């Protein structure tokens, strides 16, 4: 459920008309709904109320400071994959003791900063990383809390680019090796083994792969206990899918409830790292039709958003719903459009084969754009990055100014004369 609905013929974000936002802030424009973010976070939090738990929002999905701040105010933890994400969390008022550090390539300076601010745990992805973390912690006279990211070898049945829990993926430590690596970790003096972690992929639309992974991790935790290694928390990663089209993923509450059933009366702290299921449907991308270009083969609508603003359609052939900001009259003639951006690439499209009634200057909203939207944007074709707005009831706040050309080139210089 989200808070982007029509009132009459006009799309609203909570209580603000989206066409007014486009007038005020320009396009392309990301619009987020605070109420939707909060609702999605609470769905997890309430479902897990009976179990010690921590919901670590995956910052990579949408790292705007206002988004992080809204979640921090609700008591969220954060899953980070770089020191940049850590600094964002701190700047947004997040609690470092609720931060989990994931990712296969952590550098020593990133570890140092995370130890300095006292994060909750490192999700370690290789034996070499264990050694480096132990060295860094030793040099600071500290102990680092660790989980191993275990690769449980389950098929997440999602797009291959976002499936991460199979043997052939670069992520994690294979479940067969896990016990041996845990023993190694337990023997390193500057590490404290605290948890077991996995993340099997993204945009999963069924609970079964999560539950398979959970069963394997619970077996591992039992085996570790026999070896004298007592695990305090179990991190199931993120990955719960959302509805872009006709998918029917379980609701966060349904998924969380199934996980709790499996845990029984265990007092393990349960950690989850949801990104998409919190942010995706809390955002839209508003774009304006620049030109209509009917050709013999196709009708194109050239819009002012492009693959640099929203990469998912180009990169994953992802389908996102595209709806008019103001609905046309019932007798308006529709055509089958490819909605394409101004970038000089054939792969620059936002949507293909959409039956819409369009005129030059019309506004469109790309739905489900709150996750992996702005976060994956770039300056390709020297386009300034879009503005971001957060709506809260009847109010709207500019939470990132539209980039200017001066900002775009700020770090660049030419060679001396
Ligand atoms: N935890 C870890 C360790 C992750 O690698 C990810 C996502 C998450 C949590 C959050 O997963 P989520 O709940 O959002 O599914 N750019 C792609 C998605 C890449 C996901 C990468 N890892 C897309 O636009 O579909």
């Amino acid at each position: 459920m989200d808070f982007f609905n029509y009132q009459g013929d006009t799309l609203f974000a909570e209580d603000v008309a989206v066409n007014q936002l486009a007038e005020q802030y320009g396009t392309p424009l990301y619009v987020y709904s605070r109420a939707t973010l909060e609702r999605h976070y609470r769905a997890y939090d309430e479902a897990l109320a009976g179990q010690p738990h921590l919901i670590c929002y995956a910052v990579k999905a949408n790292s705007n400071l206002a988004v992080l701040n809204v979640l921090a105010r609700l008591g969220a933890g954060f899953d980070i994959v770089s020191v940049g994400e850590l600094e964002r969390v701190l700047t947004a008022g997040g609690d470092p003791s609720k931060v989990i550090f994931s990712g296969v390539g952590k550098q020593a300076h990133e570890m140092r900063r995370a130890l300095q601010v006292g994060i909750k745990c490192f999700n370690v992805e290789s034996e070499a990383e264990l050694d480096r973390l132990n060295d860094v912690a030793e040099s600071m006279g500290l102990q680092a809390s660790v989980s191993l990211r275990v690769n449980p070898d389950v098929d997440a049945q999602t797009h291959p680019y976002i499936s991460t829990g199979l043997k052939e993926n670069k992520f994690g430590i294979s479940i067969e090796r896990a016990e041996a690596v845990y023993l190694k970790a337990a023997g390193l003096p500057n590490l404290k083994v605290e948890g077991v972690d996995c993340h099997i992929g993204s945009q999963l639309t069924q609970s079964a792969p999560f539950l398979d992974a959970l069963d394997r991790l619970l077996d591992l935790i039992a085996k570790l206990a026999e070896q004298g290694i007592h695990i305090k928390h179990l991190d199931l990663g993120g990955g719960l899918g959302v509805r872009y089209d006709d998918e029917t993923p379980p609701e966060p509450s349904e998924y969380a409830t199934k996980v709790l059933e499996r845990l029984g009366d265990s007092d393990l702290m349960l950690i989850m790292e949801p990104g998409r299921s919190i942010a995706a449907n809390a955002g839209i991308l508003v774009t304006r039709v620049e030109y209509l270009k009917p050709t013999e083969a196709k009708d194109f609508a050239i819009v002012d958003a492009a693959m640099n603003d929203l990469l998912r359609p180009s990169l994953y052939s992802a389908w996102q719903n595209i709806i008019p900001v103001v609905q046309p009259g019932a007798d308006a003639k529709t055509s089958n459009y490819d909605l394409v951006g101004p970038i000089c690439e054939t792969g620059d499209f936002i949507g293909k084969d959409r039956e819409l009634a369009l005129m030059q200057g019309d506004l469109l909203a790309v739905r489900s754009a709150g996750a992996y939207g702005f976060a994956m944007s770039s300056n390709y074709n020297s386009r300034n990055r879009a503005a971001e707005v957060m709506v809260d009831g009847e109010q709207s706040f500019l939470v990132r100014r539209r980039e200017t050309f001066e900002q775009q080139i700020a770090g660049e210089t030419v060679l001396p004369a």
Side-chain angles (χ1 to χ4, degrees), residues 58 60 79 162 199 202 238-239 273-276 312 316 372 376:
K60 64 171 79 68
D79 168 57
I162 51 179
H199 169 80
S202 198
E273 304 169 357
R276 189 190 316 265
R312 303 190 71 258
Y316 313 116
Y372 307 111
M376 293 175 76

Side-chain angles (χ1 to χ4, degrees), residues 44 56-61 79-81 102-103 123 125 149 159 161-162 164 171 197-204 210 235-241 244 272-278 311-312 315-316 318 320 371-373 376:
Y44 277 101
C56 292
Y57 166 71
V59 174
K60 64 171 79 68
D79 168 57
I80 60 160
V81 291
S102 301
N123 288 339
E125 303 224 15
R149 175 167 175 182
H159 190 289
Y161 281 17
I162 51 179
T164 49
F171 299 101
D197 165 55
C198 77
H199 169 80
I200 58 174
S202 198
Q203 185 54 15
L204 272 71
F210 288 118
D235 181 344
L236 279 182
L240 186 65
Y244 286 104
M272 291 190 176
E273 304 169 357
R276 189 190 316 265
S277 51
I278 288 184
L311 185 59
R312 303 190 71 258
L315 188 59
Y316 313 116
Q320 295 191 207
Y372 307 111
M376 293 175 76

